[in-house]
Structure formats: C-alpha cells, structure tokens
C-alpha cells in the first residue's frame, strides 16, 4: 500500500475508506496526482480511468444511481472540473450522491496568469449539497509557501488538519444521508509525486454539525379521511427505482375504483389496471369537440404524486389548467410544486403512505371505469395504426421494445427517445432508467456504461442520433462489457423539433434546430471495438433483432435508419387516429 506524502490527500483517502466510498472514477492530470497515487495504490478502492471529464462524471453518476451509494469522480485543476457540471446538475435534481473531488492550485497561483488555474472554490454551489473547500497543508512545500503565500502560515498544520477533517466529514454526511452531490476542493503545491508507505495523519470520527430534517408527524386519521372520501383520486408516478413499491401497495391502488393511476415508463410500475401511456389518454381529449367536458371529467379532487420528474408535457399542462383541490407529494426529502397546487408534502415513503390510507371509501364512483374504457379503445387503435403506417420511428420503437429480453437494464436517452418509449408498454421485468433530473441529452451513454459495471443483468441503451454522437466519448474506456447493447435510432437530426411549435421546412430550421446530418455510427463502432449492424426497413430491423442479444465477443450497436421528414407526421397522425 502506498500514500501521497501530502497530508490532505492522505486524509481524504482515509475518510473515504472509513465511510466505504469504494468506487473512484479518475480523469488524468498532474495536479490530482497525490490523490490518484493514494487511491490506485490502495486495494480497498476500485479505480476507473475515464479521460473525458464530462463522460467521467456521468459514468460515476450512473454507477452511483445503480448502486444507490456515493461514487467519487476525481479531476485535475482548471477547466477539467467545469466539465463535471452537467452531471452534477443531473445528480442534484435526481438525488444521486455523486462526490466531486477537484485538485486545485494554491491560492497564490490563482488569477496571476498561471495555466490551468481558475476560481474553483464554490464553483458548483448552485447545484451541490455541500461545498467543502479544504485548506492547503503548510507542512508540505513549506519553503515555497514561505516565498509566495506567507499568509497561509498564519494557521498551523494542526488547525488546518482539523478544518479539513471537519469539512470532509460534513460533505460525506450530506452525500450519504441526504443523497445530494457534494464537492471537495483540495489545493496542492508541488512536488506532487512524493510517496510514503504509511500515512502521517490519523483521522478522527467527527460528527457532522448539520443533520437532515426529521420527518414531520402527520395527522394520519385526517389524511385517511380525505383519501377514503375522495371520489376522484389521481395518482401520478414519475421516475422511480425498480422494485421500490411493494406488491401489496400496487394491489391496493389497482383495486380502488375511485383511483386512476398514471405511470410513466421511468416509474418502473406495472399493473394491468394502471394507465401506462398518459399521452394516449390526454391527446384525444385535446382534439375532441367535448374537450372541456372531458377534461373536467378527468380533473381529480385529490392528486397524489411520488417519484421524480414527469416526462409527459400533456399531463403537466392538463393539471396546471384543471387544478386538483388538493395535491399531496410523498417523499422523505422534497416536494416540487409542479402543478402549482401543492397543498401538502408528506415526508414518508409511498409504501407506508398507501398502506395507511386503506382502500375503498364510503362510496364508489365511475371515475376509473370511465377512463379504463377510454384506455381499452386507444390500445386497440394503436394496434390498428401500426398496421397502416410505413416504416418510421413509431414502428421501430414498437418492434424494439417488444423484443427486449426479459430482465434487461434499459437506459433511455432523452428528447424523442423517452417520449416514444412512453407510448409502448415495457415488460415488467425490465429495469428502466433515464436522466430526467435536467432531461439533457448530454451524458446518456456515459451514464448507461457506468450503471452497467455492477449490474447483474445486461444493459441496453436506447438512444437517438444526436444523443449518441454528442456523447460518443462515452465509448472511450476499457470497461464496456461484451453484453452491452446500444440501439441507435438514426433519423439524421433532432427529430423532436419537428413535433414542437415553430417547425418550418426551411434551410435555417434544418441547420439550427433540427441540425440535420448524414452521419453513421459505423466507423465509431469499428474504432471502439463494437459490432455494428444496420437496419433500414422493417424487415431488416426484425431480422437484426433476432440475434442482437445473443452472446458475443464484442458489445453491439444496432443502428436503425428512419425517414427524417416522415417521422413527425406519423407520430402526430397517431394522436389524430386514436382520437
């Protein structure tokens, strides 16, 4: 075992080991050498080398999301850390405990014209649970400090050590207890590569000063009374971890005739009596002559939400216009007022909440039965529509989703991908993930690769062309498993812009919004050691899917080419058809 000879580096490594932070994703650099040496020379840690910092952060975030525990990402000083920011923002809004560790230059090197120096302290503060700014050790490189940074010598090494330990303890407490990303910034002076076999510091187990808020006591009798006597209840579920909700709870909700439960693909909830395609219910109402009457009929008295962010723009627009009298959000940590009618934040978990609410109320309404009839109608019409349309994104997603083997971990890219996936039922054995915290296209592939590392099941990434090419450096590492699969829907541009307001058939639209292109993943696949298969029509797609998931010596990319100028017409036509 080997350690850096710099006390701050030793301290961080010892605290990580004591708290069980085992996984460290490292982007190469010189200023972070003290930490790289200490982590890689200690067999307790699993270290991963990912060159591109943006990819590294999403890789670590995907791993933390899968393991449900803190994972650290480490970089050198300067602009390197700024590339972590997209993943930090995603982790912040998705409650993922990503630990960002940045090596820094000494304070007297900053803003004097030295290379790779920026103002790193608190640079992530708007999207971080805690920023720990460590102090530079004065027992290391003392001669240099005496020459350039005499003010640092005002604090003795003992005070600096106490400060650093206290800051690290606070940061780790926030990561573990509150599931927020945290930032630890450590300044190092040269020399950076000194090593010792035994650490010169002994850490203390200091308690963090700030503890998470304790859950509020609820008046459960009062809540249960409202729940049981609400004749029109709507339960809406956003992003949810697989297997988080107990079967007993699912049955309670499914058997309540006064409750309509809307799930999203990212909710990982399945039951024949749940409504899995929200937009297929809302879109026909939008186009109906009886729009007002039907929306009022769907309007809930009580709206109960849990899970993360909602994908469907249609349900958000509906609930903002036709507000529920009461909106309860169930979460131990936070409640977003997504629909501008939040009345109660119930700080418990959904399993406990619904068990306490019970089932039927004093009377039954036709609320659920009416909308189940509508659901049966659109499901039949969707089958009819698929038989009428030419090859397109719509058909491709239907075939791809139907053919995913049971038990797979599925990562969805944002934009068009996750929205198409909302229209088709996923098998209940699949575990579905998507970066819905900020809903960006950056980092989708990196997140899937990181998540796959410790997955007991194979991983499938279902992605669009812009998301894939934007994050192509995600394939630039040696950790991609042979059973990793990517299905790439290549419609030669940002297809989602063709279904949004403002779409025009002009050169400017194609260049600056849709960003049309003629790229293929073939050469990227060859460079990174993937097997590449291409499908350009329905027959080729079905043929390719037959052997796509079979065992192989290489990971695979199935690239599905679809018609750029036709996809939007077919998607919008679907909503017309089921109406």
């Amino acid at each position: 075992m080997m350690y850096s000879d710099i006390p701050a580096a030793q301290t961080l490594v010892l605290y990580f080991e004591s708290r069980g932070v085992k996984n460290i994703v490292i982007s190469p650099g010189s200023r972070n050498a003290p930490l790289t040496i200490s982590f890689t020379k200690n067999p307790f840690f699993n270290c991963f080398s990912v060159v591109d910092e943006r990819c590294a952060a999403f890789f670590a975030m995907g791993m933390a999301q899968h393991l449900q525990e803190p994972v650290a990402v480490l970089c050198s000083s300067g602009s390197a850390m700024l590339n972590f920011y997209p993943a930090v923002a995603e982790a912040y809004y998705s409650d993922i405990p990503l630990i960002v560790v940045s090596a820094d230059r000494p304070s007297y090197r900053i803003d004097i014209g030295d290379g790779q120096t920026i103002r790193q302290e608190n640079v992530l503060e708007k999207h971080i649970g805690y920023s720990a700014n460590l102090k530079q050790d004065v027992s290391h490189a003392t001669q240099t400090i005496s020459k350039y940074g005499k003010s640092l010598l005002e604090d003795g090494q003992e005070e600096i050590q106490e400060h650093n330990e206290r800051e690290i303890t606070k940061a780790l407490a926030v990561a573990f207890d509150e599931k927020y990303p945290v930032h630890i910034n450590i300044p190092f002076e040269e020399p950076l590569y000194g090593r010792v076999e035994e650490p010169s510091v002994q850490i203390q187990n200091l308690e963090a000063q700030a503890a998470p808020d304790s859950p509020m006591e609820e008046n459960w009798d009062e809540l249960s009374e409202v729940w049981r006597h609400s004749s029109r209840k709507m339960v809406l579920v956003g992003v949810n971890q697989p297997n988080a909700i107990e079967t007993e709870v699912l049955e309670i909700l499914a058997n309540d005739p006064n409750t309509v439960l809307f799930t999203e693909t990212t909710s990982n909830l399945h039951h024949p009596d749940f409504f899995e395609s929200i937009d297929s219910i809302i879109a026909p109402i939008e186009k109906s002559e009886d729009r007002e009457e039907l929306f009022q009929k769907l309007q809930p008295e009580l709206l109960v939400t849990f899970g993360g962010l909602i994908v469907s723009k249609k349900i958000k627009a509906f609930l903002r216009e036709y507000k529920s009298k009461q909106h309860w959000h169930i979460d131990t940590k936070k409640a977003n007022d997504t629909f501008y009618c939040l009345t109660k934040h119930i700080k418990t978990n959904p399993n406990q909440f619904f068990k306490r609410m019970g089932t039927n109320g004093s009377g039954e309404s036709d609320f659920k039965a009416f909308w189940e009839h509508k659901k049966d109608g659109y499901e039949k019409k969707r089958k009819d529509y698929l038989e009428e349309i030419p090859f397109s994104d719509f058909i491709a997603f239907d075939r791809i989703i139907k053919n995913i083997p049971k038990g797979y971990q599925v990562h969805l890219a944002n934009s068009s991908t996750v929205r198409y996936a909302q229209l088709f039922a996923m098998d209940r054995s699949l575990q579905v993930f998507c970066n819905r915290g900020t809903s960006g296209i950056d980092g989708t592939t990196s997140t899937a690769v990181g998540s796959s590392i410790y997955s007991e099941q194979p991983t499938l990434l279902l992605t669009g062309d812009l998301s894939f090419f934007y994050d192509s450096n995600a394939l630039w590492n040696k950790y991609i498993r042979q059973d990793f699969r990517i299905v790439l829907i290549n419609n030669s541009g940002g297809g989602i812009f063709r279904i949004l307001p403002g779409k025009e058939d002009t050169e400017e639209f194609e260049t600056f919004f849709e960003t049309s292109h003629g790229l293929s993943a073939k050469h990227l696949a060859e460079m990174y050691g993937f097997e590449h298969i291409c499908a350009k029509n329905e027959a080729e797609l079905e043929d390719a899917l037959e052997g796509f998931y079979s065992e192989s010596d290489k990971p695979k990319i199935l690239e599905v080419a679809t018609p750029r100028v036709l996809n939007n017409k077919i998607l919008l036509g679907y909503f017309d058809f089921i109406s």
Side-chain angles (χ1 to χ4, degrees):
M1 197 173 310
M2 198 75 68
Y3 296 87
S4 166
D5 62 356
I6 301 177
Q10 296 177 13
T11 303
L12 183 76
V13 170
L14 291 172
Y15 267 104
F16 274 24
E17 186 172 0
S18 71
R19 287 302 306 266
V21 181
K22 293 179 64 72
N23 294 291
I24 316 294
V25 181
I26 302 172
S27 291
S30 179
R31 192 61 47 169
N32 57 339
L35 292 167
T36 301
I37 290 169
S38 300
F39 283 126
T40 58
K41 295 296 184 182
N42 188 329
F44 174 81
F45 298 103
N46 302 317
C47 296
F48 303 86
S49 175
V50 180
V51 175
D52 185 315
E53 284 87 2
R54 188 180 68 196
C55 296
F58 277 108
F59 180 100
M61 192 197 73
M63 189 180 293
Q65 180 187 56
H66 180 82
L67 295 173
Q68 290 291 287
E69 67 182 40
V71 172
V73 59
L74 167 65
C75 72
S76 188
S77 64
S79 60
M81 185 191 60
L82 299 180
N83 289 298
F84 286 167
Y85 214 145
V88 170
E90 176 64 36
Y92 181 79
Y93 288 109
S94 293
D95 299 322
I96 298 173
L98 178 68
I99 302 177
V100 171
V101 181
S102 56
D104 201 356
R105 303 278 171 140
S107 57
Y108 47 82
R109 303 284 190 191
I110 297 171
D111 288 339
I112 66 167
D114 264 15
Q116 286 297 290
T117 58
I118 64 171
R119 301 169 188 175
Q120 292 184 197
E121 291 189 356
N122 302 315
V123 74
L124 305 173
E125 64 179 343
K126 295 294 185 181
H127 298 94
I128 211 82
Y130 189 77
S131 292
N133 298 300
L134 305 196
K135 293 184 177 181
Q136 182 180 336
D137 295 304
V138 294
S139 62
H140 175 76
T142 304
Q143 187 175 353
T144 303
I145 295 172
S146 300
K147 188 174 182 180
Y148 299 114
K150 290 182 180 179
S151 62
L152 298 181
L153 297 172
E154 294 175 1
D155 289 336
Q157 181 62 33
E158 185 175 338
E159 290 82 5
I160 291 170
Q161 182 66 23
E162 288 179 0
H163 169 86
N164 289 350
E165 290 195 35
R166 188 163 54 248
E167 288 296 289
I168 294 170
T169 300
K170 288 179 181 178
L172 292 179
V174 170
F176 275 94
D177 300 336
E178 301 181 44
K179 305 301 181 184
Y180 272 127
V182 296
H183 177 206
I184 303 173
N185 189 63
I186 313 180
F188 293 126
E189 179 56 279
E190 298 177 8
L192 302 169
Y193 292 87
R195 308 179 187 196
V196 293
E197 292 186 359
E198 296 292 335
S200 59
V201 301
Q202 289 186 333
I203 63 170
Q204 305 175 53
N205 289 319
L206 300 177
E207 293 185 3
Q209 293 179 353
D213 293 334
S214 57
M216 294 174 58
E217 271 301 318
E218 296 291 349
N219 186 332
W220 291 103
D221 290 337
E222 182 180 302
L223 292 176
S224 182
E225 186 76 6
V226 174
W227 172 264
R228 289 187 298 107
H229 290 92
S230 295
S231 60
R232 295 193 303 186
K233 300 189 291 286
M234 180 181 292
V235 178
L236 176 60
V237 190
V239 176
N240 207 52
Q241 281 289 318
N243 305 313
I245 306 302
E246 298 172 13
T247 303
E248 176 187 347
V249 170
L250 297 180
E251 292 301 327
I252 288 173
L253 292 169
N255 293 326
D256 189 337
N258 300 340
T259 299
V260 168
L261 193 144
F262 282 128
T263 65
E264 297 209 298
T265 303
T266 55
S267 72
N268 288 292
L269 291 188
H270 303 276
H271 195 282
D273 293 332
F274 293 167
F275 292 73
E276 293 186 322
S277 181
I278 297 173
D279 287 1
S280 297
I281 289 286
I282 303 292
I285 302 176
E286 293 176 336
K287 297 175 179 293
S288 171
E289 293 180 358
D290 302 323
R291 180 182 188 276
E292 185 71 18
E293 179 185 344
L294 288 169
F295 270 143
Q296 288 177 356
K297 201 172 184 70
L298 183 61
Q299 183 178 12
E301 295 175 5
L302 173 62
L303 171 66
V304 179
T305 57
F306 65 92
L309 275 67
I310 301 296
V311 175
S312 172
K313 289 185 176 182
K314 293 185 183 296
I315 194 68
K316 284 187 279 191
F318 160 65
L319 288 171
R320 287 167 182 171
E321 184 175 353
Y322 296 86
K323 290 182 172 62
S324 175
K325 291 178 182 178
Q326 295 195 57
H327 172 201
W328 301 346
H329 186 73
I330 307 166
D331 189 90
T332 57
K333 182 177 176 182
K334 62 186 178 184
N336 293 319
D337 191 10
T338 304
F339 312 107
Y340 304 110
C341 59
L342 183 70
T343 54
K344 186 171 284 291
H345 176 197
I346 302 172
K347 294 185 177 181
T348 187
N349 69 63
N351 289 311
Q352 292 175 339
F353 172 81
F354 289 111
K355 286 178 182 178
R356 299 188 79 151
M357 290 302 98
T359 53
N360 298 337
S362 56
E364 294 185 6
S365 69
D366 65 348
F367 186 52
K368 181 178 179 180
F370 179 85
W371 294 108
E372 279 187 328
H373 175 71
K374 296 290 186 183
K375 180 182 75 168
D376 293 342
Y378 86 68
E379 287 179 346
K380 180 181 182 303
K381 286 188 175 182
R382 182 174 59 202
K383 293 178 182 176
D384 295 340
Y385 189 66
L386 284 162
E387 293 177 0
E388 293 187 7
I389 57 177
F391 185 64
S392 58
D393 283 352
F394 200 91
I395 284 183
F397 274 94
D398 175 68
R399 304 300 190 268
I400 291 162
I401 289 173
K402 284 179 178 175
N403 281 277
I404 301 172
K406 292 182 182 297
Y408 257 65
Q409 174 181 244
V410 180
H411 280 255
L412 301 174
N414 274 306
S415 231
S416 295
T417 302
V418 69
R419 297 187 188 283
Y420 271 108
Q422 295 276 88
L423 301 176
F424 303 96
M426 289 270 189
D427 187 86
R428 65 186 307 131
S429 70
L430 303 177
Q431 299 183 353
V432 181
F433 298 91
C434 183
N435 290 348
R436 292 306 298 175
T438 60
S439 306
I441 67 168
D442 49 348
T444 300
T445 309
S446 299
T447 303
V449 173
S451 181
S452 72
I453 299 299
Y454 291 112
S455 176
E456 294 181 1
Q457 303 297 332
T459 298
L460 167 67
L461 168 65
L462 183 52
T463 183
D465 48 348
L466 294 193
S467 296
F468 176 78
F469 291 122
Y470 194 90
D471 193 31
S472 60
N473 274 356
L475 308 182
W476 184 13
N477 64 75
K478 61 180 182 180
Y479 309 109
I480 299 175
R481 292 167 32 165
Q482 294 174 344
D483 59 3
F484 191 82
R485 298 291 184 266
I486 298 174
V487 174
L488 164 60
I489 308 294
N490 190 343
N491 52 31
S492 301
I496 194 169
F497 289 101
R498 286 190 162 264
I499 62 174
L500 295 177
K503 179 256 177 183
E504 301 174 352
D505 288 318
T506 63
E507 182 180 348
E508 289 78 15
F509 173 82
E510 291 182 1
T511 301
F512 295 104
F513 288 90
E514 188 181 26
T515 57
S516 59
H517 63 84
L519 299 177
S520 166
K522 180 179 179 180
H523 297 296
L524 277 173
E526 182 180 351
M527 180 169 70
Y528 289 121
F530 276 70
E531 182 180 335
H532 179 265
I533 308 112
C534 185
K536 297 179 180 178
N537 55 53
E538 186 174 352
E540 290 182 1
L541 174 59
E542 292 183 347
D543 184 59
L545 286 170
E546 282 190 14
F548 182 63
Y549 297 101
S550 60
E551 290 187 15
S552 60
D553 296 331
K554 295 180 178 180
K556 297 180 184 180
I557 297 175
L558 169 56
E559 185 169 9
V560 185
T562 63
R564 178 173 63 88
V565 297
L566 188 60
N567 287 316
N568 64 302
K569 296 181 177 66
I570 291 174
L571 177 61
L572 296 174
Y574 165 69
F575 293 121
D576 289 331
F577 188 86
I578 64 173
S579 300

